């Protein structure tokens, strides 16, 4: 089931982690970065608090496809 209320980045994070927003850490389209005193789009995978599919695939010869939340991801072969 998609996260509620709906947010595209929270939904993307749910799909690639298999977890709800309270577990993967992406609950909205933007994340408040306190040390920068601003909000940033939740596209950076380093904001995730959970293992993603592409991290689980590292070193296993699995192809990872481009995804809206892959900025900063450790992907061996990215096909946009």
């Amino acid at each position: 089931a998609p996260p509620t209320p709906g947010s595209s980045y929270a939904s993307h994070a749910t799909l690639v982690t298999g977890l709800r927003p309270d577990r993967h850490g992406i609950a909205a389209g933007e994340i408040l970065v306190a040390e920068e005193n601003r909000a940033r789009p939740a596209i950076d995978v380093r904001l995730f608090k959970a293992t993603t599919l592409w991290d689980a695939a590292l070193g296993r010869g699995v192809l990872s496809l481009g995804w809206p939340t892959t900025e900063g991801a450790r992907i061996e072969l990215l096909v946009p």
Side-chain angles (χ1 to χ4, degrees):
T4 304
S7 163
S8 60
Y9 288 128
S11 295
H12 294 160
T14 295
L15 288 169
V16 299
T17 64
L19 301 171
R20 295 183 319 249
D22 62 321
R23 303 274 314 278
H24 60 60
I26 307 297
E30 293 186 325
I31 301 294
L32 179 61
V33 181
E35 58 272 4
E36 296 177 14
N37 197 29
R38 68 183 184 106
R40 291 190 340 184
I43 60 173
D44 193 323
V45 74
R46 292 168 287 197
L47 298 170
F48 285 34
K49 297 177 182 173
T51 301
T52 60
L53 289 173
W54 47 82
D55 280 338
L58 276 176
R60 297 177 188 211
V62 177
L63 176 68
S64 294
L65 300 176
W67 193 255
T69 52
T70 56
E71 183 177 311
R74 300 177 307 151
I75 296 175
E76 294 171 295
L77 176 61
L78 178 62
V79 178

